[in-house]
Amino acid sequence: MNALLVYPAYPDTFWSFKSILSFVSKKAAFPPLGLLTVAAMLPVEWEKHLVDTNVAPLENADLEWADVVMVSAMLVQLPSARKIMKRAREAGKTVIAGGPAFRSHLEQFPEVDHFIIGESETVMPEFLHDFQRGVAKKHYTSSEHPDLALTPIPAWNLLRMKDYISMSVQYSRGCPFDCEFCDIVAMNGRRPRVKNPDQMMREIQSLYDAGWRESVFIVDDNFIGNIVRVKEFLPRLAEWQRLHHYPFKLMTEASVNLAQDDELMEMMSAANFHKVFIGIETPSTESLVECGKKQNVTTDFSSAIRHIHQHGMQVMGGFIVGFDNDTSSIFGQQFRFIQEIGVVTAMIGVLNAMPHTRLWTRLKSEGRLLGELSGENTDACVNFDPRMGCEALLDGYKKLVGELYSPRKYYDRISTFLSSYAPTARGKMVRTDVQAFLKSMWAVGIASPARILYWKLVLKTLLTKPKALSAVVEMAIQGLHFARVSQRIMGV
């Protein structure tokens, strides 16, 4: 059996970094970890081939070779996924689809022969048993949340690693918090499940053995969801990094209670974490209570973010406007809040109701759902009737994004970040680091509207915190991408 695993293309989103990948001679930010993991679950006698259409086009020869075409997608990838599945169907191939994009409205995908819905460790064995006997059903689904001891090491051999900025691994699934707008609990449960330290270290070692020596993204819903277990794992990871001369710089996602645990932050710094994404959402206490983000209500974010920066981890933040308690004043509040706390990479989006979330259920019962959503939370679209009105919400949002990513305000945030940042990440400088800096001198330092701000920042960093230079240059380059994204949102 020849199995072709195809990953659909992303549009140019906040996290795609498409416009600046050339600075480091890469083609995509992250690999398709889900498909690589599924590939490792397929029978060993099957031939497997991966096409990530973010890196290379799907050729007719790929489809001719295949017996089955397996597609995994998130909502934002659906336009590309539909084209891929249509081509596979026209080529007479068996089409198998899975991933978050296929959790509802399955009748909209007539090209698909078999749906795999749920966590693959539970669903795939039954499907493969039936498929190999010629009696496979249309739908295979399970709401069971399996032990992650069942998860195999991803099939790294299918990947051309040098095409990517970062590799991805997963330590845990699930989150102890149940925010109204978030679909993590619906998909992965509220009880965080983790891989044991031995299993996780085998996976880390497999990446090293495959030749990888750059950034690694631990893609968990909330890396610190089970603090007791993560503190058992981190010393093992830190020791491995030390023995291997710190080949990986790590980043992940976590909740803001990270800032309350000095021991945990010190452990993460020792393990070479240098970035962490936190869902900050809003400065409005009423809106935080509304969406069930209780862990954020009592947090002094200026202090919390500064404390995390002092432990060598740059905070990237998620922010939302459009809660029922938001008024027209929220846009100014958000701007002042983000500038004050110094979160440079501030992904701010309009609230949308993801299928099967508590928010989606509530809005449906209130008759306020308007239609489907794109899955892209920075595209200035909304799929429900907001209290402040769609026009006011989207107009305010566009102006907010434009202000946040204007060169002056963006560089002001970098300066605020730099004032508290104490770099701790270790590792060798690689060729792409030098390449990116040299390209930034032209693209940002000469050809962009931020050129004067760029040179002032570079000089200030060299004189005051030279170890932070690589982080600052990266932010300057990313500023080009964020400016383009903001212009698209504003319709410029």
Side-chain angles (χ1 to χ4, degrees), residues 7-8 10 13-17 21 26-34 36 50 52-55 74 77 156 159-161 163-169 212 215-219 249 251-253 275 316 474 478:
Y7 198 51
Y10 284 98
T13 66
F14 188 90
W15 295 114
S16 72
F17 299 113
L21 290 170
K26 303 292 185 179
K27 296 181 178 179
F30 307 108
L33 180 63
L36 294 172
L50 172 73
D52 178 356
T53 60
N54 297 282
V55 167
M74 292 186 283
Q77 296 169 287
W156 304 122
L159 204 62
R160 195 173 118 116
M161 288 186 169
D163 287 333
Y164 298 91
I165 289 178
S166 175
M167 287 295 105
S168 301
V169 297
W212 187 250
S215 174
V216 175
F217 181 20
I218 300 182
V219 298
K249 284 185 177 180
M251 51 187 172
T252 193
E253 303 177 48
K275 291 182 183 179
M316 304 173 289
E474 181 183 36
Q478 289 177 347

Side-chain angles (χ1 to χ4, degrees), residues 247-465:
F248 301 149
K249 284 185 177 180
L250 304 173
M251 51 187 172
T252 193
E253 303 177 48
S255 44
V256 74
N257 53 310
L258 169 66
Q260 300 167 7
D261 194 325
D262 283 0
E263 180 186 42
L264 179 55
M265 288 190 289
E266 289 164 7
M267 285 181 165
M268 290 178 68
S269 294
N272 226 31
F273 281 82
H274 75 128
K275 291 182 183 179
V276 58
F277 177 87
I278 294 175
I280 299 170
E281 318 312 357
T282 177
S284 167
T285 300
E286 294 81 4
S287 294
L288 289 172
V289 172
E290 169 194 325
C291 71
K293 197 101 182 182
K294 298 176 183 176
Q295 67 272 24
N296 286 20
V297 170
T298 59
T299 299
D300 176 352
F301 272 98
S302 289
S303 175
I305 301 304
R306 185 167 57 250
H307 204 35
I308 296 171
H309 286 166
Q310 288 168 346
H311 283 82
M313 290 177 283
Q314 176 199 152
V315 174
M316 304 173 289
F319 302 86
I320 296 173
V321 292
F323 293 110
D324 283 354
N325 278 284
D326 285 351
T327 66
S328 59
S329 66
I330 190 60
F331 307 108
Q333 292 177 44
Q334 281 278 25
F335 174 75
R336 292 187 295 272
F337 178 58
I338 293 169
Q339 293 299 115
E340 176 190 347
I341 64 179
V343 172
V344 180
T345 303
M347 183 191 73
I348 186 156
V350 175
L351 182 68
N352 270 283
M354 298 287 288
H356 309 296
T357 59
R358 291 193 296 114
L359 176 63
W360 185 85
T361 301
R362 175 171 69 83
L363 293 175
K364 184 178 180 182
S365 70
E366 295 173 2
R368 295 170 59 194
L369 289 180
L370 297 178
E372 300 300 316
L373 73 165
S374 68
E376 211 282 82
N377 53 2
T378 58
D379 62 355
C381 292
V382 61
N383 73 331
F384 72 101
D385 183 18
R387 294 292 188 209
M388 75 167 70
C390 278
E391 185 176 355
L393 174 57
L394 296 181
D395 284 349
Y397 171 66
K398 291 175 183 179
K399 291 175 184 176
L400 171 59
V401 170
E403 196 168 11
L404 277 174
Y405 284 102
S406 64
R408 173 67 64 183
K409 302 305 181 183
Y410 183 71
Y411 277 78
D412 283 348
R413 291 204 302 282
I414 298 178
S415 292
T416 301
F417 158 78
L418 199 60
S419 68
S420 60
Y421 181 55
T424 60
R426 287 139 291 193
K428 296 178 181 178
M429 181 176 290
V430 296
R431 176 187 56 83
T432 52
D433 293 334
V434 177
Q435 176 184 322
F437 183 36
L438 294 176
K439 288 186 176 182
S440 76
M441 292 169 70
W442 165 257
V444 190
I446 296 176
S448 87
R451 52 188 171 271
I452 295 175
L453 298 168
Y454 168 84
W455 288 114
K456 284 183 176 179
L457 181 65
V458 168
L459 181 60
K460 176 183 176 181
T461 306
L462 284 170
L463 293 175
T464 60
K465 287 188 179 177

Side-chain angles (χ1 to χ4, degrees), residues 68-88:
V68 299
V69 177
M70 309 182 76
V71 178
S72 176
M74 292 186 283
L75 282 172
V76 73
Q77 296 169 287
L78 265 182
S80 174
R82 291 181 188 277
K83 294 176 183 177
I84 291 165
M85 295 186 299
K86 183 175 184 291
R87 287 181 62 190

Side-chain angles (χ1 to χ4, degrees), residues 100-165:
F102 303 103
R103 294 181 66 232
S104 61
H105 304 301
L106 300 186
E107 71 282 355
Q108 296 179 5
F109 309 105
E111 308 89 351
V112 177
D113 295 287
H114 309 287
F115 291 98
I116 308 297
I117 311 300
E119 297 186 54
S120 290
E121 293 87 349
T122 298
V123 185
M124 284 296 292
E126 181 186 0
F127 165 72
L128 289 171
H129 178 273
D130 291 350
F131 184 77
Q132 291 183 294
R133 286 157 181 77
V135 294
K137 299 177 292 187
K138 181 83 171 180
H139 307 127
Y140 288 82
T141 184
S142 174
S143 58
E144 180 183 342
H145 301 307
D147 189 334
L148 297 191
L150 300 172
T151 307
I153 290 174
W156 304 122
N157 61 298
L158 300 181
L159 204 62
R160 195 173 118 116
M161 288 186 169
K162 67 180 183 180
D163 287 333
Y164 298 91
I165 289 178

